[in-house]
Every structure is written in C-alpha cells, then in structure tokens.
C-alpha cells in the first residue's frame, strides 16, 4: 500500500517543525515533502519576504502537481497557514504557533494579519492548538471549535527520563532557552546577583547559543558572579537530559510564551520550574504547587522565587514527582503524535470516500 503524502509548509529548521514531521513519519508512516520561504521575517528582509510570499502561491501549486499530496499541513496561521488555505489541496491542517500569531500588535500589518488568519481558520479542516492558551484565542476569534485539536506534540519521555537531584545543599539552576533578547537572560543573571549578595550558594548553567552570548558573559563578570555561571554554548542534544536531571531548578523568563517544549523537558527530568507569569505557562504551572510564576522582568520577585523554592525542599520534592506524572499523562510524544497522525489519516480517508 502506497504511503500517504503530506506537503508541509513551514520553517524546517525549527525544532517544533522537526518534531511534528518526525512524529508523523514514525507514527503515521507518512511521506513528507517540505516548502518554506527563503527570507526571514526580520529587519530589512521583511519587504523581500512579503514579495516572496506574494509569488509563492504559484510555486506551491507547482509542487502540489508534481508531488500530488494527500493533504497539506502548515505552521503559523498568518503566513504558511494562509498559503495552505489558498493551495487548493484538501484536507488542510494548520497550527497556531504563538498565543495568537498576531504579532507584533503594534505592526501596521496587524489588521491585514487578522483578515488572513480568519480566512485560514475558515478554510482549515483541522486546527492545532498546542496548548489551552491558543484555544482561548481561537474561541475569541469565533473559530468553529469542532475543528480544533487541543494537544501538545509532546516530548520523548524515553529520552527525557526522570531523575530527581539529591543535592539539597546548593541551588543548581539551569536555563535552556536560546541566548536571544526575548528570553531575558540578563534578568536571570541580575536575580542571581541578589542571591550572591546574600551568600546563598548556587551554580547556574546556561545552555545554548545566540546573539546575546558575548554580552551576557560580560554581564556575569560585571555582576561578579562569573565563577558561578557556566555558559555551555551549543551542546549535543543527548547531553541535555543529564544537565536537566542534575539541576534542581529550571528557570525561563521570556516576555511571551505559547507552549514551551523546554518547560516540558524540565518537568519530565525532575527540575523544578520557575517561569514567567504568562497565560501559556499558567496552563501547566500552579503557583507554589508545582512551580513558581514570576511577573515579567521583575528581578526581585525572581530572586525571591528562587530562594523560596530552595528553602521549601519538601514542596519541591513532591512537585517534581507530580510534574513527571503530569507530563506522562499529557505531553508524551509517542501518545500525542499517534493521536495526531491517526486524525490525519481519518481526514484523508473522508476525502477519498
């Protein structure tokens, strides 16, 4: 029997996209061909990207004739999702990647984005909300919720295994977000400076790379905590679970958040989460029960949260066990991607029949 074919519209270098496609191949036995814009939506390239977007319709039609896909899937409702809706391929599954995908709110293109998002929602046969916060936006946008699948892609629980850190004498914190301005690593470093002044012992590990690496290293020296902060740079992905298992606190302070696979990974491995108080994180974290929620860019509150988590080890120990159970029940890659793949097969079967 010939494999069912999927045309994927989206940025294939992104971890989310890789997880999505790999899961469909593994649990749905799909053949996938991809297409993406060659220009990024930042800086001087934005106009060039819009021009490319305008003529991409013809390119996608050409690919569809050659590949003859059984369905099309796309990430982001305001770009690739819109292209999927225009492609003429049925069925269509689109995924909202952010809380709304209508970003930035002060953009002159905001009204236009709302129009094309509404069109994509209307034309799609299945709409992915990777978390409840995304489903809320869809409901507020008058989307037919019968088409919405609220389910994260999940993480590989055989890879991100649970191992509770036994070191209670020192804070061993980890940050696994890219070193980009939006992830506010500077706020985290300044919070740990408060701990340092209070002579609270800690080790902070910052994993990954990004344009902020050099300035963050300089900042750690200025704050006189460089001997307690390790910048790993890019690491082999197989090393990440061990680093999470050795850390008793996971910290992430972005100013916006949809569904964070990094948070799921930390919860799976037994690292107690301290994250920004945002709707996306509130879907998974209850204050001082299974984690700490800190208002955005509040250095003092972050320091207080770190200290509280360290001092309340009994609550923390109970929380990490509950977090592992929660991830097993709600964010298992093998279970969730099988459900998604099965749903795609049903959509294709309905089209054929």
């Amino acid at each position: 029997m010939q494999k069912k074919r999927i045309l994927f519209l989206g940025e294939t270098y992104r971890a989310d996209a890789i997880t999505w496609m790999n899961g469909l191949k593994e649990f749905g036995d799909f053949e996938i061909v991809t297409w993406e814009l060659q220009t990024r939506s930042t800086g001087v390239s934005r106009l060039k990207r819009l021009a490319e977007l305008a003529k991409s319709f013809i390119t996608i039609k050409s690919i569809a004739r050659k590949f003859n896909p059984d369905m099309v899937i796309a990430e982001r409702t305001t770009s690739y999702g819109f292209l999927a809706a225009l492609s003429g391929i049925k069925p269509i599954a689109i995924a909202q990647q952010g809380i709304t995908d209508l970003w930035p709110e002060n953009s002159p293109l905001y009204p236009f984005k709302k129009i094309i998002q509404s069109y994509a929602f209307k034309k799609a046969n299945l709409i992915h909300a990777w978390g409840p916060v995304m489903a809320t936006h869809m409901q507020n946008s008058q989307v037919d919720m019968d088409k919405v699948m609220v389910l994260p892609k999940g993480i590989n629980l055989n890879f991100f295994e649970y191992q509770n850190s036994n070191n209670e004498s020192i804070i061993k914190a980890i940050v696994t977000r890219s070193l980009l301005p939006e992830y506010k690593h500077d706020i985290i470093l300044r919070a740990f400076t408060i701990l340092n002044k209070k002579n609270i012992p800690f080790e902070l590990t910052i994993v990954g790379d990004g344009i902020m690496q050099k300035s963050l290293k300089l900042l750690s020296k200025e704050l006189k905590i460089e001997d307690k902060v390790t910048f790993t740079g890019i690491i082999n992905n197989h090393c990440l679970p061990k680093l999470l298992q050795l850390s008793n606190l996971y910290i992430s302070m972005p100013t916006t958040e949809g569904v964070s696979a990094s948070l799921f990974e930390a919860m799976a491995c037994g690292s107690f989460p301290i994250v920004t108080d945002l709707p996306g994180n509130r879907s998974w974290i209850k204050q001082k029960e299974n984690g700490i929620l800190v208002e955005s860019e509040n250095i003092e509150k972050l320091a207080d949260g770190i200290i509280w988590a360290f001092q309340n080890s009994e609550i923390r120990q109970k929380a990490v066990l509950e977090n592992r159970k929660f991830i097993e029940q709600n964010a298992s890659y093998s279970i969730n991607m099988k459900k998604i793949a099965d749903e795609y097969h049903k959509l294709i079967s309905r089209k054929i029949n």
Side-chain angles (χ1 to χ4, degrees):
M1 186 177 178
Q2 188 178 14
K3 288 184 178 183
K4 298 302 180 185
R5 295 176 167 187
I6 289 177
L7 172 60
F8 173 83
L9 305 180
E11 289 153 353
T12 56
Y13 63 88
R14 295 176 64 254
D16 275 356
I18 294 167
T19 300
W20 193 3
M21 289 188 289
N22 285 346
L24 293 175
K25 291 173 186 175
E26 183 176 357
F27 300 105
D29 198 30
F30 287 106
E31 181 183 348
I32 299 176
V33 72
T34 67
W35 180 87
E36 62 193 288
L37 294 163
Q38 298 305 302
T39 48
R40 304 287 174 87
S41 60
T42 56
V44 294
S45 67
R46 187 166 288 140
L47 288 175
K48 185 179 177 184
R49 181 180 170 93
L50 285 172
E52 186 185 357
L53 193 65
K55 64 181 182 181
S56 60
F57 175 69
I58 297 170
T59 307
I60 292 169
K61 284 280 191 181
S62 175
I63 293 170
R65 281 195 298 271
K66 292 175 184 176
F67 182 61
N68 192 25
D70 295 288
M71 75 176 292
V72 59
I73 65 175
E75 60 177 10
R76 291 206 195 94
T77 56
T78 55
S79 55
Y80 294 106
F82 177 63
L83 291 176
L86 288 174
S87 69
I89 304 165
K90 289 285 187 177
I92 303 166
I94 63 173
Q96 186 171 295
Q97 294 299 116
I99 295 174
T100 68
D101 279 356
L102 301 172
W103 188 89
E105 291 187 3
N106 60 354
S107 168
L109 294 174
Y110 185 87
F112 174 67
K113 287 183 177 182
K114 283 196 75 170
I115 292 169
I116 64 174
Q117 183 183 67
S118 178
Y119 182 82
F121 281 153
K122 185 178 179 181
K123 291 294 183 180
N125 302 100
L126 176 67
I127 305 167
H128 287 290
W130 302 128
V133 68
M134 298 165 179
T136 298
H137 165 70
M138 294 172 190
Q139 200 159 23
N140 292 339
S141 302
Q142 309 302 312
V143 171
D144 177 2
M145 297 307 287
D146 288 338
K147 299 195 295 185
V148 177
M149 187 178 200
V150 186
L151 190 73
K153 292 182 289 294
I155 60 169
N156 188 336
L157 295 177
N158 293 324
F159 184 61
F160 291 99
E161 294 181 313
Y162 175 81
Q163 182 179 308
N164 192 9
S165 173
N166 295 317
N167 193 335
E168 297 299 325
S169 61
I170 184 173
I171 293 171
K172 299 190 76 172
I174 190 167
V175 183
T176 62
R177 311 306 293 267
S178 299
L179 275 60
L180 300 172
E182 56 264 34
Y183 291 112
K184 299 296 176 183
H185 292 76
D186 58 323
I187 299 295
I188 297 171
L189 289 173
R190 293 184 191 280
F192 274 98
T193 304
I194 295 174
L195 272 68
N196 197 44
K197 289 176 180 176
K198 293 183 177 183
N199 295 315
I200 297 173
F202 71 86
E203 294 174 4
L204 174 61
T205 300
I206 297 178
V207 177
D209 198 6
I211 60 173
M212 297 297 293
Q213 187 178 80
K214 186 177 179 180
S215 62
L216 290 169
K217 286 182 176 180
L218 287 171
L219 180 60
S220 69
K221 289 181 180 178
E222 290 172 16
L223 298 173
K224 296 182 170 57
I225 58 171
E226 73 272 19
D227 59 328
K228 299 179 181 180
V229 181
T230 300
F231 290 88
T232 68
I234 297 173
I235 62 169
N236 186 305
N237 198 40
H238 289 279
C239 299
L240 182 57
K242 189 63 178 176
L243 289 175
L244 287 166
Q245 291 160 1
L246 291 172
S247 303
N248 45 31
L249 301 181
Y250 163 83
I251 302 175
S252 178
M253 287 288 120
T255 52
T256 183
E257 191 79 278
V259 174
S260 171
S262 297
L263 173 59
F264 289 164
E265 291 163 2
M267 293 170 74
C269 289
S271 190
F272 184 85
I274 301 175
V275 295
T276 321
D277 188 4
L278 295 168
N281 288 330
R282 285 183 221 127
S283 300
W284 324 110
I285 302 299
K286 304 302 177 190
Q287 183 71 304
K288 293 187 177 180
E289 290 183 20
N290 70 325
I292 301 287
L293 296 166
V294 179
E295 62 186 68
S296 180
E297 301 187 60
N298 193 318
I299 298 166
E300 290 77 17
K301 289 288 187 182
L302 175 55
D304 290 344
I306 295 168
I307 294 168
W308 186 93
F310 181 55
Q311 291 177 342
N312 288 273
S313 60
E314 193 172 322
I315 293 174
R316 195 174 74 246
Q317 294 299 324
K318 181 182 177 183
V320 295
L321 287 169
E322 291 300 318
N323 283 345
R324 175 68 190 192
K325 289 179 186 175
F326 177 85
I327 295 298
E328 288 174 352
Q329 293 168 2
N330 297 281
S332 166
Y333 170 74
S334 59
I335 293 173
N336 291 8
M337 283 307 307
K338 179 69 166 60
K339 288 180 180 177
I340 292 168
D342 287 349
E343 192 62 31
Y344 287 5
H345 277 295
K346 287 178 186 176
L347 287 172
I348 293 169
S349 177
R350 286 187 206 126
K351 179 187 75 168
I352 294 170
N353 296 332

